[in-house]
Amino acid sequence: MRPLPALIFASRWLQLPLYLGLILAQAVYVFHFWVELVHLIEAAFGNTQALDTLVKSVGYLPPTDGQVKLNETLIMLVVLGLIDVVMISNLLIMVIVGGYETFVSRMNLEGHPDQPEWLDHVNASVLKVKLATAIIGISSIHLLKSFISAANIDEKTLLWQTLIHLTFLLSALAIAATDRLLGHGHKPAGEEH
């Protein structure tokens, strides 16, 4: 390979620090998940300080009588927050593993028992569709949290959150449709389904 093409091809390794940074970001999410889970368990056993921390972290507005209790709504908001962290972590894994495999270097996981099922057919298009779908899931969790605590949120904010979610949904549909159109245009005859 000539020097300039070799340099350009080698420049893909500049993405490695970015993926390592995302791994560190995921570690922060893992820590946050465990802190919230510990607060939830402590609150379930009557720890009022943990309960106050949960109320503040999820933006829950306690009843007007000032009596803060661990009720179904508060538990649901905390659990939805935990699910949100897991979904974002899944998104990070897709970006880290799929991006590295697609744009930097092969991981040679063929035959490994823990190889993600989706990794054997990942490419930039598949990765975009998977990421768009994950973002819709994350947005759905946020929207559900907002609907559950709708009394604490003004109508304008709820409307904007709903419109943003619909925009994510339409964008994902457009990406998937475009991918399908472009994918079918490049398949040899007889491979179309």
Side-chain angles (χ1 to χ4, degrees):
M1 198 181 275
R2 293 183 322 236
L4 183 58
L7 175 66
I8 291 170
F9 186 63
S11 71
R12 72 192 191 283
W13 287 100
L14 290 173
Q15 291 190 16
L16 182 61
L18 304 176
Y19 293 119
L20 295 175
L22 288 178
I23 292 169
L24 292 175
Q26 187 171 20
V28 171
Y29 266 107
V30 169
F31 178 77
H32 175 73
F33 178 93
W34 283 103
V35 167
E36 288 293 307
L37 183 61
V38 167
H39 285 146
L40 179 60
I41 292 168
E42 289 174 342
F45 283 103
N47 184 323
T48 55
Q49 186 177 5
L51 181 61
D52 289 340
T53 302
L54 286 177
V55 167
K56 289 175 188 167
S57 72
V58 298
Y60 179 71
L61 191 62
T64 53
D65 64 3
Q67 194 80 350
V68 179
K69 294 180 183 173
L70 188 64
N71 58 26
E72 184 181 352
T73 302
L74 183 55
I75 293 170
M76 192 181 317
L77 287 170
V78 172
V79 170
L80 285 172
L82 294 176
I83 292 170
D84 191 33
V85 169
V86 170
M87 292 180 77
I88 290 172
S89 186
N90 291 342
L91 177 65
L92 283 169
I93 286 294
M94 279 193 282
V95 171
I96 294 165
V97 174
Y100 182 88
E101 176 88 10
T102 303
F103 300 111
V104 179
S105 182
R106 296 279 175 223
M107 299 178 96
N108 298 320
L109 294 175
E110 292 79 17
H112 192 283
D114 293 331
Q115 178 187 3
E117 178 184 301
W118 53 270
L119 193 57
D120 60 351
H121 56 270
V122 74
N123 59 37
S125 277
V126 170
L127 197 56
K128 280 190 281 188
V129 172
K130 287 194 174 299
L131 294 176
T133 305
I135 289 170
I136 289 169
I138 293 166
S139 175
S140 298
I141 296 296
H142 277 278
L143 198 54
L144 182 57
K145 284 172 61 176
S146 295
F147 287 156
I148 290 170
S149 57
N152 305 334
I153 301 172
D154 65 282
E155 285 182 26
K156 189 175 180 181
T157 302
L158 282 174
L159 177 64
W160 276 110
Q161 286 179 348
T162 305
L163 288 174
I164 290 168
H165 178 72
L166 289 173
T167 302
F168 285 150
L169 184 60
L170 292 174
S171 296
L173 288 172
I175 290 169
T178 304
D179 181 55
R180 186 176 175 101
L181 285 172
L182 293 177
H184 280 259
H186 292 87
K187 283 188 179 179
E191 282 191 31
E192 294 196 18
H193 302 284

